[in-house]
Amino acid sequence: MARKMLIDGELSKPNEEEAHYDFDLFVIGAGSGGVRASRFSANMGAKVAICELPFHPISSEVIGGVGGTCVIRGCVPKKILVYGAAFGGEIEDAKNYGWEVNDKVDFNWKKLLQKKTDEIVRLNGIYKRLLSNAGVKLFEGEGKLVGPNEVEVTQLDGTKLSYSAKHILIATGSRAHRTGIPGEELGITSDEALSLEELPKRAVVLGGGYIAVEFASIWRGMGASVDLFFRKELPLRGFDDEMRAVVARNLEGRGIDLHPRTNLTELIKTDEGIKVVTDHGEELIADVVLFATGRLPNSNRLNLEAVGVELDSFGAVKVDEYSRTNIPSIWAVGDVTNRANLTPVALMEGTCFAKTVFGGEPSKPDYRDIPCAVFSIPPLSVVGLSEEQAIEQANGDVLVFTSTFNPMKNTVSGRQEKSVMKLVVDAETDKVLGASMCGPDSPEILQGIAVALKCGATKAQFDSTVGIHPSAAEEFVTMRSVTRRVAAGGKPKTNL
């Protein structure tokens, strides 16, 4: 059966004299985006191959694994550790619920580490089977481009194999970035943090993004002392300022020492541990120093420049709205393009690619109202515009609705930690522009709210929805009173 493919913005017509290729599609990188694109393309009738580096929990330029960052050294193992860390607070809270808990509760880090490793090995096998069941040919080795329609794969024994493909998809993801300070080799990245042989008693985290906040929460929840250093006044730059303040307050409430507007200048190895020196002249000793200072696209070993593929100043592959590069036969999805670097976004981009190229259905990824979560303890989750973004983008006034309350569970446990919810609404149209929550189960709650925003829900429709009682989620449909009204072109003003 002839397939329709997108060529120069138009669907191609079958051509009997078309050049012969080994594959219709060759994908470099078997992470979330690459696996999704290859499977869906194969299901649409394409002959597909994919290559990926050999498996290991800690990545390098020559080590990776089918499943990619999210499955092997990202979202999944991180969430497992978050679950493990959260039990520390849960055990403490259980005492006021009648559970007689010994004052000394032991935590076995090595046991959790092994369980985490077992799970990512299992998932690595599942992803391989998904590819096999879809009829995708998997090559284990390092892939690079040698032409607009040719890929070279260096196998584990050093053997080089060349394959031609009508379309090539780059889906190599990103890698953790280290700062260039003296002694940086003494620090680790999130890769190593997920596989430490020993649980640190004293941890220093550099960075204000979600990875920094999450690991600070994990180690603190497991009993370590944690110092979090970041350059801004609050962590989580880019998120709603009011919610950033809530997260910071919760981190401090859980016992994490925050060091805003502070950077590290040097790491020194000593007999007592790693001496950490800051730009304020402070010094402290740590067992581990985590650099959570961003990620860079994995593009430097793909030979892209030689083929003529354009990159931006950060090394990200430049693509159009269909994920196509400036070379018509070469495409790219996921973190290597540095658009919206989230696993579900890579899945969306991979799906749209397959529909566009092999499904006869030109599809552009839709980046509006993408929900996301920071798995701090407790977590933050958001969808749509922050208050700052809404004020900047709206043509008229913006209405802000907030609810701050003590979760029912805390009223018995005695934990002093508030949940905060927020809706941002266009005053003229009544359309809900953004929603956010910091508190237990916020990612589970905001996923449903994201559907409402995607459908263009109004505040009146939220108000007319019957709540589930008793639940925290019902607060989103019972916020009747406006917390503040911000005039067009005004400045955000929080009540925290």
Side-chain angles (χ1 to χ4, degrees):
M1 182 178 72
R3 289 177 302 278
K4 295 180 179 179
M5 302 183 185
L6 187 80
I7 301 296
D8 294 330
E10 297 181 359
L11 291 173
S12 68
K13 297 177 181 178
N15 184 352
E16 297 296 330
E17 299 180 1
E18 234 173 35
H20 172 74
Y21 298 100
D22 296 323
F23 296 98
D24 296 318
L25 171 65
F26 199 107
V27 181
I28 302 177
S32 298
V35 169
R36 171 63 63 89
S38 61
R39 287 176 54 223
F40 278 36
S41 297
N43 290 337
M44 293 170 182
K47 184 180 180 182
V48 182
I50 191 169
C51 70
E52 178 54 71
L53 298 168
F55 171 84
H56 194 277
I58 301 175
S59 69
S60 73
E61 290 185 330
V62 294
I63 293 174
V66 175
T69 296
C70 176
V71 170
I72 299 171
R73 62 193 71 85
C75 326
V76 171
K78 178 268 307 280
K79 187 74 179 291
I80 290 172
L81 297 191
V82 169
Y83 280 134
F87 278 111
E90 294 285 327
I91 292 170
E92 188 65 29
D93 291 350
K95 294 178 180 179
N96 279 345
Y97 277 91
W99 291 91
E100 299 297 334
V101 182
N102 293 331
D103 289 337
K104 180 172 173 54
V105 178
D106 292 328
F107 172 65
N108 189 330
W109 165 253
K110 290 186 182 295
K111 183 174 184 178
L112 177 58
L113 189 67
Q114 185 58 54
K115 291 290 186 181
K116 180 272 299 182
T117 301
D118 292 344
E119 177 61 9
I120 64 175
V121 169
R122 184 184 75 87
L123 292 172
N124 174 252
I126 287 176
Y127 270 71
K128 287 181 177 179
R129 288 195 294 276
L130 287 172
L131 291 169
S132 177
N133 292 342
V136 177
K137 174 66 175 176
L138 171 63
F139 295 96
E140 194 169 55
E142 182 177 13
K144 71 175 184 179
L145 281 71
V146 292
N149 297 97
E150 188 174 358
V151 173
E152 180 183 271
V153 179
T154 302
Q155 300 187 111
L156 305 187
D157 62 1
T159 305
K160 296 182 186 295
L161 305 173
S162 291
Y163 297 97
S164 60
K166 184 165 188 177
H167 297 275
I168 297 170
L169 178 66
I170 302 163
T172 48
S174 61
R175 66 187 186 280
H177 168 66
R178 291 172 179 264
T179 60
I181 64 172
E184 68 166 19
E185 70 280 0
L186 300 174
I188 63 172
T189 68
S190 55
D191 280 11
E192 295 86 4
L194 290 163
S195 298
L196 289 175
E197 288 298 319
E198 300 291 337
L199 178 67
K201 293 181 179 179
R202 302 163 298 180
V204 164
V205 180
L206 175 62
Y210 67 94
I211 294 175
V213 168
E214 288 168 347
F215 275 101
S217 292
I218 288 168
W219 285 329
R220 181 62 195 141
M222 294 174 178
S225 67
V226 179
D227 288 86
L228 178 61
F229 295 83
F230 45 94
R231 291 182 298 175
K232 301 295 182 180
E233 183 64 30
L234 292 168
L236 300 176
R237 179 172 60 88
F239 285 81
D240 186 286
D241 284 349
E242 187 167 18
M243 305 310 289
R244 294 169 68 196
V246 173
V247 172
R249 189 171 60 202
N250 288 343
L251 293 174
E252 289 184 309
R254 294 269 176 164
I256 296 169
D257 290 324
L258 303 187
H259 303 262
R261 295 182 176 174
T262 307
N263 211 339
L264 305 188
T265 57
E266 187 178 8
L267 303 183
I268 303 169
K269 186 175 182 179
T270 72
D271 292 339
E272 292 77 30
I274 302 170
K275 180 190 288 187
V276 178
V277 183
T278 77
D279 56 1
H280 293 172
E282 299 171 285
E283 294 184 359
L284 61 159
I285 299 293
D287 300 313
V288 67
V289 177
L290 171 65
F291 293 124
T293 47
R295 298 180 65 85
L296 295 173
N298 269 329
S299 60
N300 59 330
R301 291 171 64 95
L302 297 174
N303 200 38
L304 297 177
E305 293 91 337
V307 180
V309 175
E310 292 182 356
L311 305 176
D312 70 13
S313 59
F314 292 99
V317 179
K318 290 184 177 182
V319 292
D320 65 14
E321 54 193 355
Y322 290 99
S323 298
R324 195 177 206 170
T325 73
N326 60 303
I327 305 298
S329 57
I330 301 175
W331 311 67
V333 297
D335 285 12
V336 75
T337 64
N338 199 29
R339 287 178 281 183
N341 297 337
L342 296 166
T343 295
V345 173
L347 296 174
M348 172 180 66
E349 292 169 353
T351 300
C352 290
F353 163 82
K355 288 180 178 179
T356 296
V357 180
F358 298 107
E361 185 184 345
S363 303
K364 304 174 186 177
D366 183 0
Y367 299 98
R368 296 171 302 160
D369 298 329
I370 295 172
C372 66
V374 179
F375 289 98
S376 50
I377 301 175
L380 165 69
S381 193
V382 305
V383 62
L385 302 181
S386 67
E387 180 177 347
E388 293 74 31
Q389 291 169 332
I391 293 169
E392 182 181 343
Q393 297 179 27
N395 294 321
D397 292 0
V398 171
L399 304 180
V400 178
F401 298 80
T402 60
S403 177
T404 301
F405 59 95
N406 204 28
M408 179 183 287
K409 184 178 179 182
N410 291 357
T411 61
V412 173
S413 72
R415 180 172 294 280
Q416 298 301 307
E417 194 170 73
K418 303 286 188 181
S419 287
V420 179
M421 293 179 172
K422 184 172 186 175
L423 290 176
V424 179
V425 179
D426 185 302
E428 183 178 353
T429 65
D430 198 42
K431 183 178 179 181
V432 178
L433 303 175
S436 52
M437 174 183 175
C438 185
D441 302 319
S442 62
E444 312 298 335
I445 294 169
L446 263 291
Q447 181 66 81
I449 300 295
V451 177
L453 263 67
K454 201 71 174 177
C455 294
T458 63
K459 182 61 168 61
Q461 289 171 323
F462 270 68
D463 294 344
S464 68
T465 302
V466 176
I468 298 173
H469 184 76
S471 71
E474 67 180 314
E475 288 291 320
F476 272 118
V477 298
T478 58
M479 286 191 273
R480 300 284 193 264
S481 301
V482 177
T483 304
R484 58 185 169 272
R485 183 185 190 111
V486 184
K491 293 184 178 180
K493 182 181 178 181
T494 70
N495 285 346
L496 291 183

